[in-house]
Amino acid sequence: MNLTGGLHWHVRAWRAQSRWAQTRADIENWLLAHPAPTDHLMLIGASAGWMMSTPWLSRFKTVQTWDIDPLAAPLFRWRHGKALKAQGVRLTCHTGDALTQLPNLLSEHPQATVFFDNVLGQIRFQNPRT
């Protein structure tokens, strides 16, 4: 069982959406109140985008996601992909540990806005000694 994701985790997240609604709305309001500094977003620890706002993601021309959970990418595309495509946003989802690749990713995309979403929650289970 993968404690940072997997089918069981995502089913629980899907079922809990109503309980998270106010927190998600607060996050969306906060993010929308701040202009996007660039048109390229690198979202680290994206999960399925359970706490992400499609209107906020739509502010970017390019959105790249990274998550260690193999289910995160297809579920993120399921939740946000159609709306982002309709807005002309280019979405690319990656499966892997972006933290180990972070120096290279930052070098490759020096102008990108980097947003960490639930990375601390994942580190606890991926690197128990950290």
Side-chain angles (χ1 to χ4, degrees):
M1 181 169 131
N2 183 344
L3 296 175
T4 67
L7 184 59
H8 180 72
W9 189 93
H10 289 290
V11 168
R12 290 179 62 209
W14 178 74
R15 287 183 177 162
Q17 288 181 88
S18 63
R19 289 194 318 258
W20 294 357
Q22 185 59 55
T23 300
R24 189 173 176 271
D26 291 343
I27 292 169
E28 176 181 29
N29 291 335
W30 186 84
L31 289 170
L32 289 173
H34 299 84
T38 67
D39 63 359
H40 180 183
L41 174 66
M42 290 178 24
L43 185 57
I44 312 296
S47 186
W50 294 112
M51 301 303 282
M52 292 289 99
S53 154
T54 302
W56 179 70
L57 293 167
S58 296
R59 289 181 156 191
F60 299 91
K61 291 181 182 175
T62 301
V63 173
Q64 291 184 292
T65 71
W66 277 268
D67 200 283
I68 55 178
D69 179 4
L71 292 178
L75 289 172
F76 192 96
R77 284 190 291 273
W78 171 71
R79 290 183 50 75
H80 299 287
K82 186 177 180 179
L84 294 177
K85 185 176 183 178
Q87 295 291 320
V89 177
R90 188 177 26 174
L91 173 64
T92 307
C93 299
H94 305 274
T95 300
D97 184 354
L99 292 181
T100 60
Q101 304 172 43
L102 195 55
N104 291 338
L105 292 173
L106 294 175
S107 292
E108 291 171 13
H109 308 284
Q111 300 302 317
T113 298
V114 181
F115 191 88
F116 294 88
D117 182 32
N118 193 32
V119 174
L120 293 177
Q122 292 179 338
I123 288 174
R124 174 180 170 212
F125 295 107
Q126 289 298 110
N127 304 309
R129 290 180 278 144
T130 348

